[in-house]
Amino acid sequence: MNTLTQLKKYTTIVVDSSDLDAVERFRPLDATTNPSLITAAAKQESNKALINQAYQQAQQEFSEGLCPASLADLTPAEALIERTIDILTVKLGVEILKYIEGRVSTEVDARLSFNTAATVQKAHELMALYQQFGISRERILIKIASTWQGIEAARMLEKEGIHCNLTLLFGMHQAQACAQAGVTLISPFVGRILDWYKKAENKDSYPIEQDPGVLSVRKIYTYYKQQGIRTQVMGASFRSTDQVLALAGCDLLTISPQLLQQLQQLNLEVTPCLSEALAQSAPSVDLPVLNEAAFYQALDADLMASQLLQVGIDGFIVARDQLAELLKNSFVL
Protein backbone atom coordinates (compact mmCIF):
# COMPACT_ATOMS: atom_id res chain seq x y z
CA MET A 1 0.00 0.00 0.00
CA ASN A 2 1.17 3.52 -0.67
CA THR A 3 1.72 5.90 2.23
CA LEU A 4 -1.60 7.72 1.83
CA THR A 5 -3.55 4.47 1.90
CA GLN A 6 -1.71 3.39 5.05
CA LEU A 7 -2.31 6.76 6.70
CA LYS A 8 -6.05 6.39 6.15
CA LYS A 9 -5.98 3.35 8.46
CA TYR A 10 -5.14 5.58 11.41
CA THR A 11 -6.50 9.02 10.56
CA THR A 12 -9.49 10.51 8.76
CA ILE A 13 -8.11 12.34 5.72
CA VAL A 14 -9.70 15.66 4.74
CA VAL A 15 -8.88 17.57 1.56
CA ASP A 16 -8.05 21.24 2.10
CA SER A 17 -9.29 22.63 -1.19
CA SER A 18 -12.19 24.15 -3.11
CA ASP A 19 -10.86 22.58 -6.32
CA LEU A 20 -13.63 20.19 -7.34
CA ASP A 21 -11.25 18.17 -9.54
CA ALA A 22 -8.97 17.56 -6.54
CA VAL A 23 -11.89 16.59 -4.32
CA GLU A 24 -13.13 14.15 -6.94
CA ARG A 25 -9.65 12.70 -7.46
CA PHE A 26 -8.83 12.01 -3.81
CA ARG A 27 -12.36 11.31 -2.53
CA PRO A 28 -11.67 12.18 1.11
CA LEU A 29 -14.31 11.72 3.81
CA ASP A 30 -14.50 15.48 4.56
CA ALA A 31 -13.35 18.72 2.93
CA THR A 32 -12.38 22.15 4.24
CA THR A 33 -12.53 25.54 2.56
CA ASN A 34 -11.47 29.06 3.50
CA PRO A 35 -11.75 32.50 1.87
CA SER A 36 -8.40 32.10 0.09
CA LEU A 37 -9.47 28.77 -1.40
CA ILE A 38 -12.89 30.13 -2.41
CA THR A 39 -11.19 33.09 -4.12
CA ALA A 40 -8.84 30.73 -5.98
CA ALA A 41 -11.79 28.59 -7.05
CA ALA A 42 -13.67 31.66 -8.32
CA LYS A 43 -10.80 32.40 -10.71
CA GLN A 44 -11.18 29.01 -12.42
CA GLU A 45 -13.00 29.06 -15.74
CA SER A 46 -14.88 25.90 -14.76
CA ASN A 47 -16.64 27.75 -11.93
CA LYS A 48 -18.00 30.66 -13.98
CA ALA A 49 -21.44 29.07 -14.14
CA LEU A 50 -21.57 28.79 -10.35
CA ILE A 51 -20.59 32.46 -10.02
CA ASN A 52 -23.30 33.54 -12.44
CA GLN A 53 -25.88 31.42 -10.64
CA ALA A 54 -24.88 32.89 -7.28
CA TYR A 55 -25.10 36.45 -8.62
CA GLN A 56 -28.49 35.82 -10.22
CA GLN A 57 -29.84 34.31 -6.99
CA ALA A 58 -28.62 37.32 -5.01
CA GLN A 59 -30.24 39.67 -7.51
CA GLN A 60 -33.54 37.81 -7.29
CA GLU A 61 -33.50 37.87 -3.48
CA PHE A 62 -32.89 41.60 -3.43
CA SER A 63 -35.58 42.29 -6.04
CA GLU A 64 -37.99 40.46 -3.72
CA GLY A 65 -36.86 42.49 -0.70
CA LEU A 66 -35.10 39.55 0.93
CA CYS A 67 -31.81 41.25 1.91
CA PRO A 68 -30.32 39.35 4.90
CA ALA A 69 -30.22 41.28 8.17
CA SER A 70 -26.41 41.11 8.28
CA LEU A 71 -26.19 43.22 5.11
CA ALA A 72 -28.77 45.86 6.02
CA ASP A 73 -26.18 48.58 6.71
CA LEU A 74 -24.38 48.22 3.37
CA THR A 75 -25.09 50.04 0.14
CA PRO A 76 -27.23 48.04 -2.33
CA ALA A 77 -24.18 47.36 -4.54
CA GLU A 78 -22.03 46.24 -1.59
CA ALA A 79 -24.83 44.08 -0.19
CA LEU A 80 -25.34 42.40 -3.57
CA ILE A 81 -21.68 41.45 -3.79
CA GLU A 82 -21.52 40.20 -0.19
CA ARG A 83 -24.62 38.09 -0.69
CA THR A 84 -23.17 36.71 -3.93
CA ILE A 85 -20.02 35.67 -2.03
CA ASP A 86 -22.06 33.84 0.61
CA ILE A 87 -24.19 32.08 -2.00
CA LEU A 88 -21.11 31.16 -4.06
CA THR A 89 -19.35 29.81 -0.97
CA VAL A 90 -22.34 27.61 -0.16
CA LYS A 91 -22.81 26.51 -3.78
CA LEU A 92 -19.16 25.38 -3.89
CA GLY A 93 -19.78 23.52 -0.63
CA VAL A 94 -22.81 21.81 -2.19
CA GLU A 95 -20.72 20.76 -5.20
CA ILE A 96 -17.97 19.40 -2.94
CA LEU A 97 -20.53 17.35 -1.00
CA LYS A 98 -21.41 15.49 -4.20
CA TYR A 99 -17.96 13.87 -4.09
CA ILE A 100 -17.59 13.12 -0.37
CA GLU A 101 -19.54 11.13 2.19
CA GLY A 102 -18.86 13.42 5.15
CA ARG A 103 -18.85 17.13 5.91
CA VAL A 104 -17.64 20.35 4.36
CA SER A 105 -16.37 23.27 6.44
CA THR A 106 -17.70 26.68 5.41
CA GLU A 107 -16.15 29.78 6.91
CA VAL A 108 -17.88 32.80 8.40
CA ASP A 109 -16.68 36.20 7.13
CA ALA A 110 -13.43 36.85 9.02
CA ARG A 111 -14.42 40.48 9.58
CA LEU A 112 -16.87 39.17 12.16
CA SER A 113 -14.20 37.34 14.17
CA PHE A 114 -14.52 39.64 17.20
CA ASN A 115 -18.32 39.93 17.12
CA THR A 116 -20.19 37.02 18.71
CA ALA A 117 -23.72 38.06 17.72
CA ALA A 118 -22.77 38.83 14.12
CA THR A 119 -20.95 35.49 13.81
CA VAL A 120 -24.02 33.61 15.04
CA GLN A 121 -26.24 35.55 12.64
CA LYS A 122 -23.96 34.84 9.67
CA ALA A 123 -23.80 31.15 10.59
CA HIS A 124 -27.60 31.03 10.57
CA GLU A 125 -27.65 32.66 7.12
CA LEU A 126 -25.15 30.15 5.72
CA MET A 127 -27.05 27.21 7.19
CA ALA A 128 -30.31 28.56 5.72
CA LEU A 129 -28.67 28.64 2.29
CA TYR A 130 -27.52 25.04 2.65
CA GLN A 131 -31.05 24.10 3.67
CA GLN A 132 -32.37 25.76 0.48
CA PHE A 133 -30.13 23.41 -1.49
CA GLY A 134 -31.37 20.38 0.44
CA ILE A 135 -28.25 19.84 2.56
CA SER A 136 -28.74 18.76 6.17
CA ARG A 137 -26.90 20.54 8.97
CA GLU A 138 -25.13 17.30 9.88
CA ARG A 139 -23.02 17.64 6.73
CA ILE A 140 -21.85 21.18 7.47
CA LEU A 141 -19.21 22.54 9.82
CA ILE A 142 -19.36 26.29 10.34
CA LYS A 143 -15.77 27.49 10.40
CA ILE A 144 -14.95 30.29 12.84
CA ALA A 145 -11.70 31.94 13.93
CA SER A 146 -10.57 30.93 17.44
CA THR A 147 -11.00 34.33 19.07
CA TRP A 148 -12.78 34.46 22.42
CA GLN A 149 -15.82 35.94 20.67
CA GLY A 150 -15.71 33.29 17.95
CA ILE A 151 -15.51 30.50 20.52
CA GLU A 152 -18.49 31.97 22.38
CA ALA A 153 -20.43 32.07 19.11
CA ALA A 154 -19.56 28.41 18.56
CA ARG A 155 -20.80 27.59 22.06
CA MET A 156 -24.20 29.07 21.18
CA LEU A 157 -24.35 27.41 17.77
CA GLU A 158 -23.42 23.97 19.12
CA LYS A 159 -26.32 24.21 21.60
CA GLU A 160 -28.60 24.70 18.57
CA GLY A 161 -27.17 21.63 16.87
CA ILE A 162 -25.03 23.62 14.41
CA HIS A 163 -21.59 22.04 14.42
CA CYS A 164 -18.46 24.18 14.31
CA ASN A 165 -14.83 23.97 13.19
CA LEU A 166 -12.66 26.46 15.09
CA THR A 167 -9.79 27.57 12.86
CA LEU A 168 -6.68 29.75 13.18
CA LEU A 169 -5.81 27.88 16.36
CA PHE A 170 -2.23 28.25 17.55
CA GLY A 171 -2.18 27.86 21.34
CA MET A 172 -3.30 25.57 24.12
CA HIS A 173 -5.47 28.34 25.60
CA GLN A 174 -7.50 28.42 22.39
CA ALA A 175 -7.82 24.64 22.37
CA GLN A 176 -8.91 24.61 26.00
CA ALA A 177 -11.53 27.32 25.46
CA CYS A 178 -12.88 25.39 22.45
CA ALA A 179 -13.16 22.23 24.54
CA GLN A 180 -15.01 24.09 27.29
CA ALA A 181 -17.39 25.47 24.65
CA GLY A 182 -18.14 21.96 23.39
CA VAL A 183 -17.19 22.64 19.78
CA THR A 184 -17.21 19.73 17.37
CA LEU A 185 -13.74 20.17 15.88
CA ILE A 186 -10.63 22.34 16.06
CA SER A 187 -8.02 23.03 13.38
CA PRO A 188 -4.58 23.73 14.90
CA PHE A 189 -2.24 25.15 12.25
CA VAL A 190 0.99 23.16 12.05
CA GLY A 191 2.83 24.89 9.21
CA ARG A 192 2.17 28.47 10.25
CA ILE A 193 3.55 27.73 13.72
CA LEU A 194 6.69 26.29 12.15
CA ASP A 195 7.04 29.31 9.86
CA TRP A 196 6.80 31.70 12.80
CA TYR A 197 9.46 29.91 14.85
CA LYS A 198 11.83 29.59 11.91
CA LYS A 199 11.69 33.34 11.45
CA ALA A 200 11.76 34.18 15.16
CA GLU A 201 14.69 31.87 15.92
CA ASN A 202 16.46 32.41 12.57
CA LYS A 203 16.46 28.71 11.69
CA ASP A 204 16.15 27.07 8.31
CA SER A 205 14.55 23.91 9.68
CA TYR A 206 13.85 21.73 12.73
CA PRO A 207 14.14 17.96 13.16
CA ILE A 208 10.61 16.64 12.86
CA GLU A 209 10.55 15.57 16.53
CA GLN A 210 11.32 19.18 17.47
CA ASP A 211 8.98 20.81 14.96
CA PRO A 212 7.03 23.41 17.01
CA GLY A 213 3.84 22.94 14.98
CA VAL A 214 3.90 19.16 15.35
CA LEU A 215 4.61 19.40 19.07
CA SER A 216 1.74 21.86 19.55
CA VAL A 217 -0.80 19.50 17.98
CA ARG A 218 0.55 16.51 19.88
CA LYS A 219 0.16 18.40 23.16
CA ILE A 220 -3.42 19.43 22.36
CA TYR A 221 -4.35 15.90 21.26
CA THR A 222 -2.84 14.40 24.42
CA TYR A 223 -4.69 16.88 26.66
CA TYR A 224 -8.01 16.17 24.94
CA LYS A 225 -7.68 12.40 25.20
CA GLN A 226 -6.50 12.48 28.82
CA GLN A 227 -9.44 14.68 29.80
CA GLY A 228 -12.00 12.70 27.82
CA ILE A 229 -12.82 15.73 25.67
CA ARG A 230 -15.01 14.84 22.69
CA THR A 231 -13.89 17.74 20.49
CA GLN A 232 -11.98 16.33 17.52
CA VAL A 233 -8.48 17.51 16.61
CA MET A 234 -7.78 18.13 12.93
CA GLY A 235 -4.22 19.11 12.13
CA ALA A 236 -4.05 21.71 9.34
CA SER A 237 -1.68 23.95 7.38
CA PHE A 238 1.05 21.44 6.55
CA ARG A 239 4.34 22.29 4.90
CA SER A 240 5.60 18.76 4.24
CA THR A 241 4.67 15.10 4.21
CA ASP A 242 7.01 14.67 7.20
CA GLN A 243 4.73 16.93 9.27
CA VAL A 244 1.69 14.97 8.15
CA LEU A 245 3.21 11.60 9.03
CA ALA A 246 4.43 12.92 12.39
CA LEU A 247 0.75 13.36 13.29
CA ALA A 248 -0.46 9.99 11.99
CA GLY A 249 -3.20 8.84 14.33
CA CYS A 250 -4.63 12.32 14.91
CA ASP A 251 -8.44 12.36 14.69
CA LEU A 252 -8.35 14.11 11.32
CA LEU A 253 -5.75 15.76 9.09
CA THR A 254 -6.73 18.30 6.42
CA ILE A 255 -4.16 18.20 3.63
CA SER A 256 -3.63 20.12 0.40
CA PRO A 257 -4.01 18.27 -2.93
CA GLN A 258 -0.28 18.72 -3.59
CA LEU A 259 0.72 16.92 -0.38
CA LEU A 260 -1.95 14.27 -0.87
CA GLN A 261 -0.44 13.49 -4.26
CA GLN A 262 3.03 13.26 -2.73
CA LEU A 263 1.77 10.87 -0.04
CA GLN A 264 0.10 8.78 -2.72
CA GLN A 265 3.43 8.45 -4.54
CA LEU A 266 5.39 7.42 -1.43
CA ASN A 267 5.79 3.88 -0.13
CA LEU A 268 6.96 4.67 3.39
CA GLU A 269 5.65 2.53 6.23
CA VAL A 270 3.24 4.52 8.42
CA THR A 271 3.34 4.12 12.19
CA PRO A 272 0.79 5.97 14.34
CA CYS A 273 2.42 8.71 16.42
CA LEU A 274 -0.82 9.58 18.21
CA SER A 275 -3.43 7.33 19.79
CA GLU A 276 -5.69 7.15 22.82
CA ALA A 277 -3.33 4.66 24.46
CA LEU A 278 -0.23 6.77 23.83
CA ALA A 279 -2.01 9.84 25.21
CA GLN A 280 -2.99 8.06 28.40
CA SER A 281 0.58 6.87 28.98
CA ALA A 282 2.05 10.36 28.44
CA PRO A 283 2.77 12.78 31.31
CA SER A 284 -0.47 14.31 32.58
CA VAL A 285 -1.57 17.66 31.16
CA ASP A 286 -3.74 19.38 33.79
CA LEU A 287 -5.06 22.91 33.26
CA PRO A 288 -7.36 25.10 35.39
CA VAL A 289 -10.74 26.19 34.06
CA LEU A 290 -10.27 29.04 31.60
CA ASN A 291 -12.36 32.21 31.77
CA GLU A 292 -12.25 35.22 29.44
CA ALA A 293 -9.67 37.12 31.47
CA ALA A 294 -7.39 34.07 31.67
CA PHE A 295 -7.82 33.49 27.93
CA TYR A 296 -6.62 37.00 27.10
CA GLN A 297 -3.82 36.75 29.61
CA ALA A 298 -2.59 33.54 27.94
CA LEU A 299 -3.01 35.04 24.47
CA ASP A 300 -1.03 38.14 25.42
CA ALA A 301 1.72 35.96 26.87
CA ASP A 302 2.00 33.89 23.68
CA LEU A 303 3.45 36.18 21.02
CA MET A 304 3.33 33.49 18.37
CA ALA A 305 -0.36 32.71 18.90
CA SER A 306 -1.46 36.33 19.19
CA GLN A 307 0.43 37.42 16.08
CA LEU A 308 -0.62 34.47 13.93
CA LEU A 309 -4.27 34.76 14.97
CA GLN A 310 -4.44 38.38 13.84
CA VAL A 311 -2.37 37.76 10.70
CA GLY A 312 -4.65 34.85 9.80
CA ILE A 313 -7.80 36.91 10.24
CA ASP A 314 -6.31 39.77 8.22
CA GLY A 315 -5.32 37.36 5.45
CA PHE A 316 -8.82 35.93 5.17
CA ILE A 317 -10.27 39.45 5.07
CA VAL A 318 -7.91 40.35 2.22
CA ALA A 319 -8.91 37.18 0.33
CA ARG A 320 -12.60 38.02 0.68
CA ASP A 321 -11.93 41.60 -0.47
CA GLN A 322 -10.11 40.21 -3.51
CA LEU A 323 -13.10 38.02 -4.30
CA ALA A 324 -15.44 41.01 -3.94
CA GLU A 325 -13.29 42.98 -6.38
CA LEU A 326 -13.24 40.05 -8.80
CA LEU A 327 -17.03 39.87 -8.74
CA LYS A 328 -17.42 43.62 -9.14
CA ASN A 329 -15.24 43.50 -12.24
CA SER A 330 -17.08 40.45 -13.58
CA PHE A 331 -20.47 42.13 -13.33
CA VAL A 332 -19.26 45.72 -13.96
CA LEU A 333 -20.69 47.16 -10.75
Side-chain angles (χ1 to χ4, degrees), residues 6-22:
Q6 293 180 64
L7 182 61
K8 289 179 178 179
K9 293 166 55 180
Y10 305 109
T11 293
T12 297
I13 301 301
V14 181
V15 66
D16 191 19
S17 178
S18 294
D19 183 336
L20 298 178
D21 290 337

Side-chain angles (χ1 to χ4, degrees), residues 169-218:
L169 194 147
F170 304 99
M172 178 60 80
H173 56 288
Q174 292 172 296
Q176 187 184 357
C178 288
Q180 291 177 187
V183 307
T184 297
L185 182 148
I186 62 169
S187 297
F189 276 32
V190 180
R192 294 198 191 189
I193 293 175
L194 173 64
D195 294 345
W196 190 92
Y197 275 100
K198 284 169 65 176
K199 184 176 180 180
E201 298 184 353
N202 195 28
K203 289 189 175 183
D204 293 329
S205 63
Y206 290 80
I208 196 63
E209 289 301 317
Q210 297 175 22
D211 183 306
V214 169
L215 294 179
S216 178
V217 177
R218 287 181 177 180

Side-chain angles (χ1 to χ4, degrees), residues 281-333:
S281 64
S284 179
V285 180
D286 294 312
L287 299 171
V289 174
L290 195 68
N291 58 25
E292 184 175 4
F295 177 90
Y296 279 113
Q297 184 177 13
L299 184 62
D300 289 342
D302 190 336
L303 184 62
M304 177 273 295
S306 60
Q307 286 187 351
L308 289 181
L309 175 60
Q310 190 59 59
V311 167
I313 291 170
D314 291 344
F316 285 156
I317 291 172
V318 167
R320 190 177 177 101
D321 288 344
Q322 290 173 343
L323 179 54
E325 194 63 30
L326 176 67
L327 295 177
K328 288 177 187 176
N329 293 335
S330 298
F331 299 109
V332 196
L333 294 179

